[in-house]
Every structure is written in C-alpha cells, then in structure tokens.
Amino acid sequence: MSDFNIKFNHNSGIPLYRQLYEYLLKEIHNGNLKENEKLPSRRMLCNRLNVNKNTVEAAYQKLTAEGYIMSEPRSGFYVKTKLDNFDKDEDTLPDYTYNFSINGIDVMKIPNNIWGKLYKDTILENPNLFNHGENFGERILQKAIQKYLYDTRGINCYSNQIIIGAGMDYLILMTSLVMNKNTIYGIENPCMKRIYSTLNICDKKIRLINVTKDGFSTELLKNSNINVLFVMPSHQYPVGYKISLEQRHELINWANSGKNRYIIEFHYDSDFIYDKSISPIYSLDTNEKVIYIGDFVKTIGPSIKTSFVILPNPLLKKWKQRLNTYYSPVNLFEQWVLAEFIQKGFFTRHIKQMKDIYMKKKDYLISELKNCSFYNKMEIYNANGGTHFIAKFNTDIPEKQMERAARLQKVKIVPLSRNFITSSPLSDEKYFVFGFGGFENFEIREAVSLLEKAWGTL
Amino acid sequence: MSDFNIKFNHNSGIPLYRQLYEYLLKEIHNGNLKENEKLPSRRMLCNRLNVNKNTVEAAYQKLTAEGYIMSEPRSGFYVKTKLDNFDKDEDTLPDYTYNFSINGIDVMKIPNNIWGKLYKDTILENPNLFNHGENFGERILQKAIQKYLYDTRGINCYSNQIIIGAGMDYLILMTSLVMNKNTIYGIENPCMKRIYSTLNICDKKIRLINVTKDGFSTELLKNSNINVLFVMPSHQYPVGYKISLEQRHELINWANSGKNRYIIEFHYDSDFIYDKSISPIYSLDTNEKVIYIGDFVKTIGPSIKTSFVILPNPLLKKWKQRLNTYYSPVNLFEQWVLAEFIQKGFFTRHIKQMKDIYMKKKDYLISELKNCSFYNKMEIYNANGGTHFIAKFNTDIPEKQMERAARLQKVKIVPLSRNFITSSPLSDEKYFVFGFGGFENFEIREAVSLLEKAWGTL
C-alpha cells in the first residue's frame, strides 16, 4: 500500500497532474501499489493531497489510458494485472484466420493498373518532382481536394487553406501546436484511440465526453471547459452514430458562445453513408470555428498516407508564424498522382463502387448473422454506412470470455470496450464491433459459421 | 518602457520561462516595449524578478529564435524593428535568378526511368501494398537501410531497431517523446533551424552550443546540464566542419559519464565526404548511447521524404510502450521502391556519381571565384564534401548590404548568420554560405560573374 506521500514541486514547471501520474506510476512499478489493489477514490485523494479534483482526474485518466489502472463501474479504480491487459497480451490469444477489424478495407478493387501508369508517367514526365515542393503541399493536390470536397460535400474553402500532411497523427499534433497552450481538448469516449494518444503523449489537457450508442448530448459540453472538440459526425469511430443536423447546429452555437472554441470535424466515412448526406458542420459555420480534417485511408487504402486539414484563416496565419519550418512530408509524386486520380474522375468512380460493395457486404453479413442461434441475443446498431456496425449482446457471459471463445475458433472480433479511454455508460453493456470491410463474401460466411460455434451457447 | 511587473503563477503548470516569454511578448505587442528598446540584461532581470537565471535565459532565447528580439554583441538585447526581420521581409528583397542555397540538389541525374519502372512494377505486382503495412516500416526497407549503412559506414544494428518516418521533424519529435520530460537538448548554434524549431515549438528545454568554423570543444558540454546532444559529425549544417575521431571518442565518454545522456548523430552528408571516412560515433559506442538518424534528401532528392532512426534497444522499448499507436507515415509503394532501388545497387551507383559531380562543381565554383576581385578578401572553409562550403569576408561592408547588393544582381546568397538561433562568436565575422548543389556549371559561371558586379568594390 502506498502512503501517497507525494511532495509536489510547484517550481519545477511540471504540471501537478503529471507529477501525481509519475508518482503513482513509480509506486506501481516498485510494488507499493500491487496488482488488483484498489486506489483511493478521486475525491478522497484530492482531499488528502489538497489538490484540485481535476488534477487527480487527469492523473487517473492518463494511467487508465496507458493501461496501468482500470475503472470498475460503480466500484473504483484498481491497479491492473497482467491478465487484464488484453492488448499487451495479444500473444496469449490464439492466432486467427478471420478478423472483424473495424479497420478492414477491401483493397483488391483499387484500379492499381491506373495507379501504376499514373506513377510511371508522372515520374518520367516530371523529373523535377524529385526536388523541393511547396511547403503546405502541391497546389495541384490542394485544388483537387478542394474540388472533391466541394462537389461531394458542399465544403467551400480556398485551396490555400488546405495543408497536406502524412498521416493523421502529425496533422493533429501540428494543429494542436497552433492552439493556445492551455487549450482543453474534448474527445469522445470511446474514440479513435490514436487521437487520444497523440494529444496525451504531448501532455495536452483532455476532457472525455462519454457517449452512448446514439452519441452525446450537447449539454455535456457546457461547464466542461472544453475549448476544442473532436467529432466524426458522419459515422463515429468506433460507435458508428451519425450526428443529427439539429445537433450540428447546437455544436456551432456552442463554438460561438465561448472564447477560443473550435470544432475539429473529421471527414471519416463521409463518402460511405447510405442516407442522404447531412451538411458538414464546416458548411454550417460562418465564423471560422471549424477545422476539417481527413485522409484517404478508407476511400482508397491504408497505404495512402496523404492527409489534409482545412484551417480557418486565423489559424492558418498562426501556423505560418509558429510552424514556419513545416513542410508537407509527402512524396511529390504521390501528391501529383493522387491529384490526377481525383481530377480524372477515377476517385469518384472508385468511391461509388466501394460504397455499393461495402453496403452489400453489410447486408450479407447481417443475413448470415440472422441464421445464427445467438441472433436473438444481439441488437445491431449504427449499420448506416462505412465498413462496420456495433451489436449489443444480452447475455451473462463476460465479454472477455466471448472474445476468447471466438479466438479459439480463429476469429478475431473485438469488444467495443477495447476503444474506451476510461469506463463509460457503454461499459455496462456488452458490445462487439463488426467490421466487414476486409472480407470477401465467402469469408463472411465462414467467419459467421465459426462465430456460431463460439457463441451458439450464449 | 515596461515595468516588468509580471506575477508568476506557480500553480498553473506553465513553466516560469514560458510565463516570462508570454509576458514580454505581450509587452512587445502592446508597445510597452518599443522597437529598438534595450531590454534589461539577463542578470538584472533575474535579480529583479527573483527567478533563476536559466528562466530569463530561456525566455530571451525563445524570443530571439522567433525573431522578436536580437542580441547585439557586447551590448545587450534589443526589441527588433520590422526592418531587422530580414526573413519576414523576403518580399522587400528583389527576385533572384541564381540561388547559392545550401539546400540545392541536382535532381536531373536521378535515374527517373528506373524509378518510374520500379513504381509501376511494384504497384502492378503487389496490389496488397495498398493495405496496412508494418508499424515501424516495411521489413524489406529496414533491411535495405541496415545493409546500406553497414556497407558504407560500418554501422552494426538489427533491422528491427530502424524506425521509418516521413521527414526528419516528426522523427525528431517522436524521439523526444521517448526521452524523459525534463531532458535538456544540446543543439549547435548555428544549426539546421528546423531541429531547433521542432523542439522549441513543443517547449523542450534547449541549451545552445556556440560553434566556431572548426566546431566546438567538448569542454562546453561539461557543466551544461545537457542530456541529449545533436551532432552532424560528417559535414555540419551549416558551418561544414567535420568532427575529428578524437572528439568523437570524447563525446562517447561524455555520454557515458552522466545520467540519461544520449547523442543523436545525423547521417547528413556522410555519403559525400571527400576524405577517407571516419568511423561514425554510432560505431564507437558500446553502451547504447547513440541514436542515428538520416534521410535521402541529399542522396536522392528532397521529394523523397522517407527518413529513418536507429534506436538503442532501451529506447526502442520505450517507443513501443509510449508511442504504441505510431505507424510509419510513408506510402508502402515508396518504401518498397526505395528498398529495391537500394538492393539492386542503383542507389550506391547514384551516390558515387553524385559525389563526383558535386566535387567537380565545388572545384569549378572555387576556380571561378579565384577570378573575382574580391577573392583576396575571402577565406574558404570546410570545402570538404557535400554541397556547400562557407567563406569568411574581410570587409567593412555590413553583411546585409552585401546580401542586398547580390540580390540586386539577382543572386540569392545568404549570410551564415541567417542560421543563428542567437548570436555567437561567429557573429563577429562575416560569413556567407556557398551552396552549389543546385547549379549547372554555366549557372555557376554566370552567378559568380554577377557576384563580381555586386562585390567587386569590397
């Protein structure tokens, strides 16, 4: 048991929550806090140490996110054991043949002959493209992305507001560096973990917004002190809900009714939504409060690292001042080939084809699941686009046991809780993520029949 | 005049140097500190505010690096005027035809037909390469880089120690995130500015090591509190000196004689050194104290963003823990094509050819300069490899006037001082950077004849 005898150093420049986090981490490593040991409640600890409740909250949150402690609903925080650490113990789980990964993409339909030819022609005709490019990205690509976003989503911006990056993480990081230092970031829980990790690793202040299968109420933002909100309004990763037009307006109002507020809107899955599309939050904004960010991982393939961010002009100006050594870390050939792929209509054609393919895979998966004996124990939600949906299971069998049973049948299927940063209302129920993007139909059939073997006794 | 009435907030979590920096910045913006006004000396201010001298030092350094104040040798710190801010006033300088840029590369000799064919074949034969790759980079590329470094520099490492990145900045940033939070980074002054910017923008603690045209004494490291030292031992950017074998041993001893010390060694220009090569510091290290980092910007072209870092095993382990969402942000096709370009010997052949070409350009440039009337006013240093050297000018004409005179002849040539983070002993003399990598010979001849027109009266 730790005596929690931490001496805070107010002159070190190290935030108090971080000093507490490091102290607790040390106590865990040296065994003063043992596996399975219950930690003091956040209220108790903040009273004992005479610090702000947010300080303890932030320290516990960081330890949870990094896998050292876990929150048992209605019970408290406990130091994790090795067995609890499923992610890290991946090698104790059997190998798998089928993977219902939320990140599964069908890359076999990409017209790679067209890509190959585009690359060869571009390289042969433009040897100068081995040289320095433009700092924010090649104009030809900025223009192509601008047109694509305008044509498909009605997004109106100047091409020079578009900054090209490699991968989302670096762009998110750079964007955070043009914000004020004390910016508090609001992130949905659960969310795309890398967003949390990227900010957390640089000690940015984060407030989690617990979501349900239907999303979150805008009310949660008030009194939260959040300055910058991350949202994926089309098809949230991983829960899958779509933010209504009404709530998009509420979020705009929220952004306009406080200082230094911004919304970072992700393009994610916007091309693959079945219903008539809703206006992006970016297009409802008249006050330059929305940052729009996206990539081509889903629409083309994960190997295409090119990402983009549309910055409001005041932030663009700050970027030029503060990040004046930034240059787009994407090979110029890739930028030109992507621009041409878009300009010549190959991209639109490909998206249309894939949207149809993914919708059919989704229908096929659901029809196969209907044949399963456990189908009456599950409720499917948010099968409204993209390459995944979630399903709630009404059973007493623990989630981990279900996951292990599937693995023993060589099927990898992951509980929604794997994406939690910290426990949430969704923790009270059992959800699994059904990603189908990476499957051929025969694989869907076989994977589902193996799930029947694993879960037939639910 | 500001009354320097800053109230430090010891509970905010914001480092004191940063609070001082922001206070002074505010005073500059609101006019309380006027253009050209002299700031208190660092000693006076730290006494007045009752803070550590390092706090004032760091605040002044940040303001200098960002262009708000400048240091007049033997005089003090002054708030900058708009006219002093040359970089930002690039548009007041005339356009140019010839650019002696240190970053100039000859890309016309790259065998682009080979590149084009490699891309086309790779994409056609491996459509799966549109899918997810390996987190730290494709094994085929890790192995190719490992072999290249072993064959050319005797660097001995496991391929799994090599992490592939896009661009240097992100890799440097990520590397800093696996260091302890309070790590103090040692950077040469002058240096590659982006290294300073990347760390500075994330509020990392930096100590500058003032260098001369011959480098720096290892003695400067003692009592400096530096933990992690950045060096470019082959051909320093921008001064051009090479670190002797003796000093490389000294640096290894320094790294081994203190806690949490590392050397980050840049590969930069190692392929283009004329003399018999000296052992990399990495190879002299037996204690896993050296991190080796490089890219292909000089050896192939600036558009090739692939970069690599070789991490000692303890840091590799930390990377896997802390940066567990990291994935290499480089298109898989680019990784495979680069790997094949290296494996099939095209890369070695190209480097050999370019080394010879650059050496001849250097010789030609010097022979043309010998024809100039100002040649007896200049001393050339560090013309020992790569694509640039520096030259000291013995003249009373101010640097800026020389620069402007050259510009009026449509020649862009940049003083070495442009790379200073803060003033250094080199500030007392006038150096210019002669980058020749981007010139054809006839351009060298014409550019030099225009320099004669500009500087004939020195």
Side-chain angles (χ1 to χ4, degrees):
Chain A
M1 180 66 184
S2 171
D3 54 13
F4 296 99
N5 193 18
I6 172 174
K7 298 269 182 294
F8 287 107
N9 183 343
H10 294 274
N11 288 327
S12 64
I14 302 174
L16 297 186
Y17 88 86
R18 183 147 190 109
Q19 294 184 37
L20 178 56
Y21 154 84
E22 283 172 4
Y23 173 86
L24 293 172
L25 197 54
K26 199 151 56 92
E27 295 287 271
I28 292 173
H29 282 320
N30 65 23
N32 283 348
L33 283 169
K34 299 186 188 337
E35 285 187 351
N36 278 329
E37 187 171 337
K38 190 173 195 284
L39 290 164
S41 74
R42 284 161 289 186
R43 184 177 296 281
M44 262 177 62
L45 193 57
C46 82
N47 285 338
R48 183 188 296 195
L49 300 178
N50 196 24
V51 290
N52 192 295
K53 185 157 167 283
N54 282 340
T55 299
V56 181
E57 174 69 51
Y60 274 30
Q61 187 179 295
K62 199 168 165 69
L63 288 165
T64 305
E66 293 173 10
Y68 294 105
I69 69 179
M70 56 194 263
S71 162
E72 292 286 341
R74 292 175 297 281
S75 178
F77 285 88
Y78 294 79
V79 180
K80 265 182 155 177
T81 67
K82 282 235 167 87
L83 285 171
D84 288 325
N85 219 337
F86 236 71
D87 277 350
K88 297 196 170 89
D89 283 313
E90 258 289 314
D91 23 65
T92 75
L93 284 172
D95 242 343
Y96 53 89
T97 309
Y98 301 105
N99 185 358
F100 280 97
S101 168
I102 191 176
N103 298 319
I105 306 285
D106 185 347
V107 301
M108 301 316 284
K109 311 292 191 304
I110 298 169
N112 62 322
N113 54 336
I114 292 175
W115 269 84
K117 188 173 191 309
L118 283 177
Y119 261 101
K120 178 160 168 258
D121 292 347
T122 305
I123 294 172
L124 283 177
E125 292 160 21
N126 303 284
N128 54 299
L129 289 183
F130 276 100
N131 219 329
H132 297 281
E134 302 178 48
N135 284 357
F136 284 2
E138 294 295 282
R139 196 154 296 146
I140 189 180
L141 179 58
Q142 290 171 313
K143 283 178 152 37
I145 292 175
Q146 176 209 23
K147 187 170 191 309
Y148 146 64
L149 291 175
Y150 182 73
D151 289 346
T152 59
R153 303 215 70 206
I155 282 171
N156 219 337
C157 71
Y158 290 103
S159 57
N160 72 353
Q161 285 174 266
I162 299 174
I163 299 180
I164 305 297
M168 285 287 220
D169 299 5
Y170 191 40
L171 270 191
I172 290 172
L173 196 47
M174 292 294 105
T175 302
S176 76
L177 294 175
V178 297
M179 300 290 180
N180 294 341
K181 290 285 163 173
N182 281 325
T183 294
I184 297 176
Y185 297 88
I187 299 181
E188 295 152 316
N189 178 40
C191 67
M192 203 180 264
K193 260 192 170 168
R194 61 174 53 262
I195 301 171
Y196 182 90
S197 300
T198 298
L199 295 172
N200 181 47
I201 233 293
C202 294
D203 292 322
K204 298 298 179 187
K205 295 183 187 175
I206 300 170
R207 294 282 177 273
L208 296 176
I209 300 158
N210 286 328
V211 304
T212 69
K213 61 170 173 52
D214 303 311
F216 64 94
S217 158
T218 314
E219 285 298 305
L220 289 178
L221 292 179
K222 312 183 181 183
N223 304 324
S224 70
N225 294 331
I226 288 171
N227 301 113
V228 176
L229 175 68
F230 284 84
V231 280
M232 292 187 183
S234 295
H235 193 231
Q236 200 266 1
Y237 179 124
V239 183
Y241 54 80
K242 182 159 72 172
I243 295 183
S244 69
L245 181 59
E246 184 186 353
Q247 188 174 15
R248 294 179 195 211
H249 280 292
E250 288 174 7
L251 294 176
I252 288 283
N253 290 340
W254 165 82
N256 282 310
S257 56
K259 274 190 81 173
N260 296 323
R261 286 186 182 167
Y262 289 98
I263 296 168
I264 299 185
E265 177 180 15
F266 282 78
H267 179 80
Y268 183 79
D269 260 359
S270 299
D271 304 276
F272 294 142
I273 292 305
Y274 307 148
D275 293 348
K276 188 169 152 58
S277 63
I278 303 178
S279 167
I281 302 177
Y282 188 91
S283 299
L284 302 175
D285 170 41
T286 52
N287 229 4
E288 302 209 271
K289 290 280 162 189
V290 182
I291 297 155
Y292 195 84
I293 189 167
D295 62 22
F296 299 88
V297 166
K298 292 287 288 272
T299 46
I300 304 179
S303 171
I304 308 301
K305 305 297 183 191
T306 304
S307 54
F308 57 87
V309 64
I310 307 175
L311 291 180
N313 285 299
L315 290 181
L316 185 62
K317 196 170 164 191
K318 277 195 187 171
W319 184 299
K320 287 177 180 172
Q321 286 170 347
R322 293 191 198 176
L323 308 178
N324 57 10
T325 54
Y326 178 87
Y327 63 84
S328 172
V330 180
N331 180 305
L332 297 198
F333 295 117
E334 177 170 335
Q335 294 192 47
W336 279 60
V337 164
L338 181 54
E340 224 182 325
F341 191 71
I342 296 172
Q343 272 170 349
K344 291 204 156 124
F346 298 122
F347 185 48
T348 318
R349 194 187 313 168
H350 179 68
I351 293 177
K352 193 161 178 287
Q353 179 188 33
M354 293 316 299
K355 179 175 170 178
D356 196 56
I357 287 174
Y358 287 136
M359 183 158 47
K360 290 193 163 85
K361 287 195 214 246
K362 182 262 302 175
D363 290 340
Y364 187 68
L365 171 56
I366 290 179
S367 74
E368 287 294 302
L369 286 168
K370 281 181 175 160
N371 294 333
C372 293
S373 62
F374 57 81
Y375 186 72
N376 62 359
K377 296 243 158 82
M378 64 186 279
E379 291 168 69
I380 291 175
Y381 296 106
N382 302 328
N384 50 7
T387 56
H388 84 282
F389 54 77
I390 61 172
K392 184 170 78 170
F393 284 79
N394 301 312
T395 167
D396 293 328
I397 316 264
E399 235 173 48
K400 286 191 181 128
Q401 201 173 314
M402 287 177 68
E403 184 179 10
R404 189 168 273 279
R407 273 301 193 104
L408 288 168
Q409 299 297 331
K410 299 211 177 303
V411 173
K412 179 172 177 178
I413 184 162
V414 169
L416 183 63
S417 59
R418 190 62 41 82
N419 292 282
F420 292 170
I421 309 295
T422 141
S423 73
S424 89
L426 284 167
S427 312
D428 296 342
E429 297 161 316
K430 299 176 182 64
Y431 288 88
F432 275 85
V433 176
F434 283 79
F436 47 83
F439 283 137
E440 295 298 323
N441 273 5
F442 77 89
E443 290 171 317
I444 289 176
R445 190 168 53 245
E446 288 180 25
V448 171
S449 72
L450 289 170
L451 275 185
E452 171 65 23
K453 286 189 185 161
W455 295 347
T457 50
L458 278 184
Chain B
M1 178 69 181
S2 171
D3 54 13
F4 297 99
N5 192 19
I6 172 176
K7 298 268 182 292
F8 287 109
N9 183 340
H10 294 275
N11 288 327
S12 64
I14 303 173
L16 296 186
Y17 87 86
R18 181 146 192 109
Q19 293 184 40
L20 178 57
Y21 154 83
E22 283 172 4
Y23 173 85
L24 293 172
L25 197 53
K26 201 151 53 89
E27 296 286 272
I28 291 174
H29 282 320
N30 64 23
N32 283 347
L33 283 170
K34 303 191 186 335
E35 284 185 352
N36 277 329
E37 187 172 335
K38 189 172 195 285
L39 290 164
S41 75
R42 283 161 291 187
R43 184 177 296 280
M44 261 176 62
L45 194 57
C46 83
N47 286 337
R48 182 189 296 193
L49 300 177
N50 195 23
V51 290
N52 193 295
K53 185 155 166 285
N54 282 340
T55 299
V56 181
E57 175 69 51
Y60 274 30
Q61 186 178 296
K62 198 168 166 69
L63 288 165
T64 305
E66 292 172 10
Y68 293 105
I69 69 178
M70 58 195 263
S71 162
E72 293 286 341
R74 294 176 297 282
S75 177
F77 286 88
Y78 293 81
V79 179
K80 263 182 156 178
T81 66
K82 281 229 169 93
L83 286 172
D84 289 324
N85 219 338
F86 234 72
D87 276 351
K88 297 196 170 90
D89 284 315
E90 259 288 316
D91 22 66
T92 74
L93 284 173
D95 242 343
Y96 51 89
T97 310
Y98 302 105
N99 185 358
F100 280 95
S101 167
I102 191 175
N103 299 317
I105 306 284
D106 184 348
V107 301
M108 300 317 282
K109 310 295 191 302
I110 296 170
N112 62 321
N113 54 337
I114 293 176
W115 270 82
K117 187 171 193 310
L118 283 176
Y119 261 100
K120 179 161 168 256
D121 292 347
T122 304
I123 294 172
L124 284 177
E125 291 162 23
N126 303 282
N128 54 300
L129 289 183
F130 276 99
N131 218 330
H132 297 280
E134 302 177 47
N135 285 355
F136 284 3
E138 295 295 282
R139 197 155 294 144
I140 190 180
L141 180 57
Q142 290 171 312
K143 284 179 150 41
I145 292 174
Q146 176 210 23
K147 188 172 189 307
Y148 146 64
L149 291 176
Y150 182 74
D151 289 345
T152 59
R153 302 216 70 206
I155 283 171
N156 219 337
C157 72
Y158 290 103
S159 58
N160 72 355
Q161 286 176 265
I162 299 175
I163 299 180
I164 304 297
M168 285 287 218
D169 298 6
Y170 191 40
L171 272 191
I172 290 172
L173 197 47
M174 293 294 105
T175 303
S176 76
L177 294 175
V178 297
M179 300 290 181
N180 294 341
K181 289 284 164 173
N182 280 324
T183 294
I184 297 176
Y185 297 88
I187 299 180
E188 294 152 318
N189 178 40
C191 67
M192 203 180 263
K193 260 191 170 169
R194 60 174 54 262
I195 300 171
Y196 181 90
S197 300
T198 299
L199 295 172
N200 182 46
I201 234 292
C202 293
D203 292 322
K204 299 297 180 189
K205 296 183 188 175
I206 301 169
R207 295 281 176 273
L208 296 176
I209 299 159
N210 287 327
V211 305
T212 68
K213 61 169 175 51
D214 302 310
F216 64 93
S217 160
T218 314
E219 284 298 307
L220 289 177
L221 291 178
K222 313 187 180 179
N223 304 325
S224 70
N225 294 331
I226 288 171
N227 300 113
V228 176
L229 174 68
F230 284 84
V231 279
M232 293 187 182
S234 295
H235 193 230
Q236 200 263 1
Y237 179 124
V239 183
Y241 54 81
K242 183 160 72 173
I243 296 183
S244 68
L245 181 59
E246 183 185 352
Q247 188 175 14
R248 294 179 195 211
H249 281 290
E250 288 174 7
L251 294 175
I252 288 282
N253 290 340
W254 165 83
N256 281 312
S257 56
K259 274 190 82 171
N260 296 323
R261 286 186 184 168
Y262 289 96
I263 296 168
I264 297 184
E265 177 180 14
F266 282 78
H267 178 80
Y268 183 79
D269 260 1
S270 299
D271 304 276
F272 294 142
I273 293 302
Y274 308 149
D275 293 346
K276 190 169 152 56
S277 63
I278 303 179
S279 167
I281 301 177
Y282 187 91
S283 299
L284 302 174
D285 171 43
T286 53
N287 229 2
E288 301 210 89
K289 288 282 161 187
V290 182
I291 296 154
Y292 195 84
I293 189 167
D295 62 23
F296 299 89
V297 166
K298 291 288 286 277
T299 45
I300 303 180
S303 169
I304 308 301
K305 306 297 185 192
T306 306
S307 53
F308 57 87
V309 64
I310 307 176
L311 290 181
N313 284 300
L315 291 181
L316 185 62
K317 196 171 164 191
K318 276 194 186 169
W319 185 297
K320 288 177 179 172
Q321 285 169 348
R322 293 191 197 177
L323 307 179
N324 56 8
T325 53
Y326 178 86
Y327 63 85
S328 171
V330 181
N331 180 304
L332 297 197
F333 295 118
E334 177 172 333
Q335 294 191 48
W336 279 60
V337 164
L338 182 54
E340 225 182 323
F341 191 71
I342 296 173
Q343 272 170 349
K344 290 202 157 127
F346 297 121
F347 184 50
T348 317
R349 192 187 314 167
H350 179 67
I351 294 177
K352 192 161 178 284
Q353 179 187 33
M354 292 317 298
K355 179 176 170 178
D356 196 57
I357 287 174
Y358 287 136
M359 185 159 45
K360 290 193 163 86
K361 285 193 213 248
K362 183 261 302 175
D363 290 339
Y364 187 69
L365 172 56
I366 291 181
S367 75
E368 286 295 302
L369 286 169
K370 282 183 175 160
N371 294 333
C372 295
S373 62
F374 58 80
Y375 186 71
N376 61 358
K377 296 239 157 84
M378 63 186 280
E379 290 169 68
I380 292 174
Y381 296 106
N382 302 329
N384 49 7
T387 56
H388 84 283
F389 53 77
I390 61 173
K392 184 171 76 169
F393 284 79
N394 300 314
T395 168
D396 293 330
I397 317 264
E399 234 173 48
K400 287 192 180 128
Q401 199 172 312
M402 289 178 69
E403 184 180 9
R404 188 167 274 276
R407 273 302 190 101
L408 288 168
Q409 299 296 332
K410 301 212 174 300
V411 173
K412 180 172 177 178
I413 185 162
V414 169
L416 181 64
S417 58
R418 191 62 41 82
N419 292 283
F420 291 170
I421 308 296
T422 141
S423 71
S424 90
L426 285 167
S427 312
D428 295 343
E429 296 162 315
K430 298 178 183 63
Y431 289 88
F432 275 84
V433 176
F434 284 79
F436 48 82
F439 283 138
E440 295 298 323
N441 273 7
F442 77 91
E443 290 171 319
I444 289 177
R445 189 168 54 247
E446 290 181 21
V448 171
S449 71
L450 290 169
L451 275 186
E452 170 67 21
K453 286 188 183 160
W455 295 347
T457 51
L458 279 182

